[in-house]
């Protein structure tokens, strides 16, 4: 009778160890699955960026509207293409912001710098986001709202210092 109790205890211990090993294997598999999903999402995000760049390679005349702070006149012959490309960039930015949790801090900072830089150097992108910000995710809206506030603050400081110099000239 005593040896059956020992065998039973040993069986329970082995069952417990097996259950823990099984749980560990499931956790490892879930981590691999999570990383695989994140990797696929990052890859899809990069693919969208590449596709946009290919459009600019095919139509280099559009590049200044996105990188050189050149406004697109409403009667521009490619106004529709420029507006569509601005929409694509905004959707791309939405993906970048949404994928921010799936990349390293350095990559997240680089993506933020890209969104910030393009927002500041592209009148069509600024226009799209100003007129249709509600079309985009809460996360992208937060980034753009912060950028708009920074720009407004900068404009106010610049205007204030210009007014101060005008006052100084008047009092001289």
């Amino acid at each position: 009778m005593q040896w059956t109790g020992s065998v039973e205890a040993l069986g329970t211990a082995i069952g417990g160890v097996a259950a823990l090993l099984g749980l560990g294997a499931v956790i490892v598999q879930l981590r691999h699955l999570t990383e695989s999903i994140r990797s696929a999402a990052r890859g899809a995000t990069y693919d969208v960026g590449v596709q946009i760049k290919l459009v600019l390679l095919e139509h280099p005349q559009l590049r200044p509207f996105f990188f050189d702070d050149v406004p697109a006149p409403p009667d521009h012959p490619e106004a529709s293409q420029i507006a569509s490309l601005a929409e694509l960039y905004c959707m791309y930015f939405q993906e970048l912001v949404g994928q921010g949790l799936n990349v390293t801090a350095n990559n997240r900072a680089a993506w933020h710098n890209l969104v910030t830089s393009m927002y500041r150097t592209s009148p069509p992108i600024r226009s799209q986001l100003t007129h249709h910000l509600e079309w985009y995710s809460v996360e992208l809206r937060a980034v753009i709202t912060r950028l708009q506030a920074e720009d407004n603050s900068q404009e106010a400081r610049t205007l204030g210092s210009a007014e101060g110099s005008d006052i100084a000239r008047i009092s001289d």
Side-chain angles (χ1 to χ4, degrees):
M1 179 99 153
Q2 199 173 28
W3 68 272
T4 57
S6 297
V7 170
E8 192 174 294
L10 181 61
T12 301
I14 291 173
V17 169
L20 284 175
L21 290 174
L23 181 61
V26 168
I27 290 171
V28 168
Q29 287 176 338
L30 286 174
R31 284 187 181 163
H32 287 297
L33 178 62
T34 300
E35 183 53 37
S36 176
I37 290 169
R38 286 180 177 172
S39 180
R42 283 191 304 265
T45 301
Y46 282 118
D47 286 346
V48 170
V50 168
Q51 290 172 5
I52 293 172
K53 294 296 183 188
L54 289 174
V55 170
L56 289 173
L57 284 172
E58 291 174 16
H59 304 280
Q61 72 279 9
L62 301 179
R63 188 174 176 77
F65 301 114
F66 295 93
F67 295 96
D68 298 333
D69 210 19
V70 174
D75 61 342
H76 191 282
E78 295 174 301
S80 179
Q81 248 184 328
I82 293 166
S84 294
L85 195 53
E87 287 179 44
L88 280 174
Y89 263 116
C90 292
M91 289 172 16
Y92 177 55
F93 296 161
Q94 182 171 257
E95 283 302 308
L96 291 179
V97 171
Q99 288 296 324
L101 297 175
N102 297 325
V103 296
T104 64
N106 288 339
N107 285 337
R108 192 169 35 258
W111 284 2
H112 178 75
N113 290 341
L114 173 67
V115 171
T116 299
S117 175
M118 291 201 66
Y119 176 81
R120 291 194 169 135
T121 63
S122 176
I125 289 174
R126 284 194 304 273
S127 177
Q128 174 67 20
L129 290 167
T130 297
H131 293 101
H132 304 291
L133 191 58
E134 71 281 357
W135 291 1
Y136 301 99
S137 68
V138 171
E139 295 85 3
L140 180 59
R141 288 193 309 243
V143 170
I144 298 306
T145 300
R146 195 168 36 254
L147 290 173
Q148 289 169 337
E150 287 173 11
D151 290 349
N152 290 339
S153 175
Q154 180 64 31
E155 287 175 20
R157 282 193 301 271
T158 302
L159 183 59
S161 65
E163 288 174 354
S165 63
D166 289 342
I167 292 170
R169 277 184 290 215
I170 291 170
S171 60
D172 284 344

